[in-house]
Amino acid sequence: MKEKIRQLLEDALPLVDFDSDFLFSELDSLGVTTILMTLADEYDIKMESSDATPKNLKTLDSIVALVERKLAEK
């Protein structure tokens, strides 16, 4: 799942370093929105504005964990 998410997000945001330990600091509001919308569409999950936190978007691993939580809630 991690590699699939990495590929989706790299395709959507080619200038962002998804290996960064502080990924959230590299994102602007459009980047955050793009990540949430891309994942919501791909995994048919509902993303809320409250999901756009530094904790959830700190690293690629935390983004994967967010998707896994959302899938479990579905």
Side-chain angles (χ1 to χ4, degrees):
M1 177 184 270
K2 182 177 179 178
E3 283 310 309
K4 181 177 181 184
I5 289 175
R6 173 190 296 279
Q7 192 58 55
L8 283 168
L9 298 182
E10 285 178 346
D11 289 348
L13 298 165
L15 300 179
V16 175
D17 176 13
F18 287 97
D19 292 317
S20 172
D21 289 335
F22 300 101
L23 177 59
F24 188 80
S25 64
E26 294 189 26
L27 300 170
D28 58 13
S29 59
L30 183 58
V32 170
T33 302
T34 299
I35 287 173
L36 295 181
M37 288 178 56
T38 299
L39 296 174
D41 289 347
E42 180 67 25
Y43 291 99
D44 192 32
I45 53 179
K46 185 169 176 141
M47 292 290 198
E48 307 286 345
S49 58
S50 59
D51 295 321
T53 64
K55 181 182 175 206
N56 285 338
L57 301 174
K58 183 177 181 201
T59 63
L60 186 59
D61 286 334
S62 60
I63 293 171
V64 171
L66 171 63
V67 171
E68 289 172 344
R69 274 196 314 277
K70 290 293 186 172
L71 287 170
E73 292 171 6
K74 210 170 139 184

